[in-house]
Amino acid sequence: MGETYSIVPTSAITGEGIPDLLLLLVNWTQKTMVEKLTYSNEVQCTVLEVKVVEGHGTTIDVVLVNGVLHEGDQIVVCGMQGPIVTTIRALLTPHPMKELRVKGTYLHHKEIKAAQGIKITAQVLIID
């Protein structure tokens, strides 16, 4: 890194290469900014989508910006009729280097940690 320039072929039409480009950027950031990463007890997490997945129930796709999420943690999510208090049943992430749009299995985690500057996308199974 830093001596060799990486070229990542991408396609704006098919979306091919975008996961590879994101992986390259995350790896480069982790290697070059490791001393600037900080962890905080305060969780910053953005909900991207709420959906019902067959076999899993209600799930939310989130981007974890800072902090740690554990299975069994109690969370509060904004709802249309007020706050929703629920428990995290499972933390799932897609397999590395897999196309996100293709349905497949997920990796199960007991905890997911993100530091400022490194964002992690995860699917959180919640109890209704």
Side-chain angles (χ1 to χ4, degrees), residues 57-122:
T58 304
T59 65
I60 54 176
D61 291 339
V62 301
V63 176
L64 182 61
V65 177
N66 193 29
V68 181
L69 292 177
H70 299 89
E71 272 187 13
D73 279 355
Q74 194 171 43
I75 59 172
V76 179
V77 183
C78 293
M80 298 297 276
Q81 283 79 34
I84 300 167
V85 180
T86 187
T87 304
I88 298 175
R89 195 170 65 196
L91 296 167
L92 308 171
T93 58
H95 287 277
M97 303 300 291
K98 289 281 186 167
E99 182 61 48
L100 292 174
R101 292 174 287 181
V102 177
K103 290 186 179 182
T105 60
Y106 291 94
L107 296 173
H108 291 263
H109 303 277
K110 293 291 180 190
E111 77 171 19
I112 294 181
K113 182 187 284 190
Q116 289 180 346
I118 303 296
K119 296 180 181 176
I120 296 178
T121 303

